[in-house]
Amino acid sequence: MTTDNNSPKKVIPIAAVAPEEELVSLYAPHQKIYPRSVSGVFSHWRWVMVWVTQLVFYGLPWLEWGQRQAVLFDLSVRRFYIFGLVLYPQDFIYLTGLMIIAALSLFLFTAVAGRLWCGYACPQTVYTEIFLWIEKKIEGDRAARMRRDEGAMTSEKLARKTGKQFLWIAFSFWTGFTFVGYFVPMREMAGAFLGGQLAAWEFFWVFFYGFATYGNAGFMREQVCKHMCPYARFQSAMFDKDTLIVTYDTERGEPRGARSKKADPSKMNLGSCVDCSLCVQVCPTGIDIRNGLQYECIGCGACADVCDTVMDKVGYPRGLVKYSTENAMNNHWSKEQTIKRVLRPRVLVYSTILLGIVLAIFVSLATRTPFKADVVRDRGVMARVIEAGKIENVYSIQVMNATESNQRYKISVEGLPGIEITSEPTLSLEPTKARWVPVRVQVPPEADKPGSHEIHFIIESLDSPGRLREESKFVIPR
Ligand code: SF4
Ligand code: SF4
């Protein structure tokens, strides 16, 4: 091959080419979810839980027990009243026990039935259900709400939206007010509110809790479960192949496809799923259960309820979407076989520990001394030598009456030869009251060598059984 050197050279212009830029957002745009209302067994149970939990929550602060509120965590005087129980900060161990019980119960219920708590009793679920109910009553069900949101603003739309917001805000305010009623006597607070004399901090907490309810149940909804709740993230660690989860029966349902009611699916090579998408429409987190277990699934069973209604309509057996376990699905177990697997070692261990802690707390509460005492050596007053060479130390003792009646207490001391209390050794306390008393303790000069010596104060109730022994130090100067 030859080249002609005299032929003009071809010039290829080089131009700077701007690199193709694509803006990649790290955040998925939020798609508003319009859950369709549903009725069925699981929806019924969710409403039962809504009623039970909310009757307890809104009712308890109004319940009286003798002369006081039945359940009150009175932070101002550091006293916690739970029906007949009067607890002091020193009883913190019971709160710890309660938290351990709550955590273990969560582990246990999750191991047995997955996200039972999320689907039926979590405040986020319960309040979202109530807010959705209000929304449905005012704006209609899913299709009507979607249509209205897409349409232009009209006076009717404005009126409905305003009415819904008004009810949401009123309900949220009432929720915040009730919450604060667990920490401040409810009836007094209601009086103060009506008289326009609510304290600033009470007002703040009513507003704060109310605002949280309004924001979480009215707007955040499934976002809380998907992105804020830590439980969704670690729940999988508590699941095993025998945990009940809401499952789509792929074997039975696929291949999915629409068909007429009279059509024979086997002839069309179709499974039981008619691909109506209702299970997606009712899902409060907007997922498709047919894609398998997803962390967004709160186990509410709404998809199972709606699918059962579809199965009824097309004349197929119920249970295409149902509560089942991975093992049961894989091995085609019957209901009885599945239930039998509930009592597996993991569940038995959780149950035994839980039962042990509950029993320990009950025994401890039943046998606890009905008063508390704190001994503090008065560091402002030095150990001193008084008349006849006696040595005196001064203490402050706080006695807390945890009963609902007047009580008398006697204080004595032991631990050194000739040790005695020279101040008033008895005191009286009104129901649930606490008081600090100064206590002077003296020993004879020959009692012991100089230094710090261990002594014990004995505080006895004169009106009910109970005796406490509190350790302290007695200092003999050189
Ligand atoms: S509701 Fe049932 S039939 Fe309808 S799409 Fe979902 S799984 Fe299929
Ligand atoms: S997939 Fe079903 S059970 Fe899970 S959150 Fe959605 S509706 Fe509830």
Side-chain angles (χ1 to χ4, degrees):
M1 187 186 270
T2 57
T3 50
D4 182 0
N5 288 337
N6 296 328
S7 63
K9 289 211 170 85
K10 202 175 176 188
V11 178
I12 301 169
I14 300 173
V17 177
E20 257 181 42
E21 278 184 16
E22 195 188 340
L23 200 61
V24 179
S25 171
L26 294 176
Y27 301 97
H30 174 231
Q31 304 269 334
K32 186 172 177 189
I33 294 173
Y34 296 84
R36 190 190 182 106
S37 65
V38 61
S39 59
V41 182
F42 305 118
S43 150
H44 169 80
W45 277 110
R46 195 164 32 265
W47 272 106
V48 168
M49 288 308 292
V50 168
W51 277 102
V52 171
T53 52
Q54 298 318 291
L55 277 177
V56 171
F57 176 70
Y58 293 104
L60 263 189
W62 295 99
L63 205 65
E64 293 281 293
W65 185 268
Q67 300 296 310
R68 62 165 170 84
Q69 193 168 313
V71 177
L72 178 65
F73 307 105
D74 198 340
L75 297 177
S76 60
V77 290
R78 296 194 292 163
R79 217 85 86 244
F80 311 118
Y81 305 99
I82 305 169
F83 296 98
L85 268 182
V86 181
L87 300 174
Y88 284 83
Q90 285 81 349
D91 292 309
F92 194 74
I93 183 77
Y94 296 115
L95 181 65
T96 314
L98 204 67
M99 286 164 84
I100 295 173
I101 289 174
L104 272 173
S105 306
L106 196 65
F107 293 167
L108 176 63
F109 289 128
T110 307
V112 173
R115 295 179 72 177
L116 210 56
W117 162 259
C118 299
Y120 296 87
C122 170
Q124 180 61 21
T125 302
V126 166
Y127 288 117
T128 302
E129 193 80 24
I130 296 171
F131 273 55
L132 273 171
W133 181 81
I134 295 174
E135 192 168 61
K136 186 185 153 200
K137 286 287 161 212
I138 296 191
E139 288 201 64
D141 205 357
R142 176 185 152 92
R145 294 203 303 271
M146 288 170 85
R147 242 193 340 269
R148 189 167 293 112
D149 278 3
E150 277 163 15
M153 181 59 78
T154 60
S155 52
E156 186 242 355
K157 179 172 172 176
L158 185 68
R160 285 184 190 269
K161 293 267 177 207
T162 312
K164 178 184 82 174
Q165 293 297 334
F166 174 78
L167 286 182
W168 277 5
I169 291 170
F171 182 81
S172 304
F173 173 80
W174 188 240
T175 307
F177 195 79
T178 304
F179 175 73
V180 178
Y182 279 90
F183 301 94
V184 178
M186 181 56 127
R187 287 161 201 259
E188 282 173 30
M189 190 172 68
F193 173 69
L194 292 176
Q197 292 176 331
L198 210 58
W201 75 268
E202 291 168 353
F203 190 79
F204 170 80
W205 283 108
V206 169
F207 178 78
F208 183 83
Y209 198 82
F211 182 71
T213 308
Y214 175 70
N216 288 342
F219 300 96
M220 304 285 287
R221 293 191 178 166
E222 80 290 346
Q223 304 288 319
V224 175
C225 310
K226 280 160 109 171
H227 308 299
M228 290 162 72
C229 177
Y231 177 51
R233 306 282 160 173
F234 67 79
Q235 50 145 340
S236 54
M238 292 180 252
F239 277 29
D240 60 22
K241 290 185 172 176
D242 291 307
T243 299
L244 275 178
I245 45 174
V246 178
T247 329
Y248 167 68
D249 189 341
T250 317
E251 228 171 83
R252 193 189 135 192
E254 300 297 317
R256 66 187 79 160
R259 80 282 317 253
S260 81
K261 201 176 165 187
K262 287 182 194 132
D264 180 356
S266 57
K267 285 191 185 142
M268 297 172 76
N269 191 28
L270 285 176
S272 296
C273 175
V274 299
D275 207 12
C276 61
S277 86
L278 283 178
C279 51
V280 183
Q281 294 179 31
V282 296
C283 178
T285 61
I287 58 169
D288 188 341
I289 190 65
R290 294 172 297 172
N291 295 338
L293 179 64
Q294 295 143 78
Y295 83 90
E296 295 98 331
C297 175
I298 58 167
C300 66
C303 49
D305 273 341
V306 80
C307 192
D308 279 348
T309 62
V310 176
M311 293 296 107
D312 289 350
K313 274 188 200 141
V314 291
Y316 300 164
R318 288 178 159 210
L320 177 59
V321 179
K322 61 182 173 188
Y323 278 97
S324 188
T325 70
E326 203 181 321
N327 271 339
M329 294 300 285
N330 292 341
N331 303 316
H332 305 106
W333 282 349
S334 66
K335 213 181 238 178
E336 290 69 36
Q337 283 173 305
T338 313
I339 291 171
K340 249 189 211 161
R341 284 292 299 167
V342 167
L343 291 178
R344 53 197 188 275
R346 175 190 199 147
V347 171
L348 291 177
V349 169
Y350 284 153
S351 311
T352 313
I353 299 175
L354 187 62
L355 200 68
I357 294 177
V358 171
L359 274 177
I361 287 187
F362 268 106
V363 170
S364 164
L365 277 174
T367 56
R368 79 189 183 123
T369 313
F371 62 94
K372 312 247 156 277
D374 267 346
V375 178
V376 178
R377 202 168 157 271
D378 197 338
R379 295 182 194 281
V381 182
M382 303 289 283
R384 61 191 175 194
V385 180
I386 53 168
E387 74 270 11
K390 282 189 168 182
I391 299 139
E392 184 179 84
N393 280 200
V394 181
Y395 302 81
S396 288
I397 297 185
Q398 187 191 31
V399 183
M400 293 159 262
N401 180 1
T403 71
E404 309 246 18
S405 54
N406 288 321
Q407 297 285 318
R408 289 167 305 139
Y409 302 96
K410 180 168 170 269
I411 303 171
S412 55
V413 65
E414 61 185 29
L416 284 171
I419 192 166
E420 59 175 354
I421 288 176
T422 54
S423 50
E424 176 56 46
T426 59
L427 78 149
S428 300
L429 279 180
E430 299 83 53
T432 76
K433 292 285 183 274
R435 192 179 333 141
W436 284 98
V437 286
V439 175
R440 284 201 307 280
V441 178
Q442 294 178 1
V443 296
E446 68 284 359
D448 213 328
K449 54 185 187 306
S452 175
H453 301 273
E454 188 175 306
I455 58 168
H456 287 98
F457 285 96
I458 315 294
I459 302 111
E460 279 174 281
S461 171
L462 300 175
D463 298 308
S464 56
R467 186 175 192 269
L468 289 175
R469 195 175 144 87
E470 294 290 318
E471 188 190 313
S472 191
K473 295 283 179 214
F474 190 94
V475 176
I476 301 180
R478 288 179 194 284

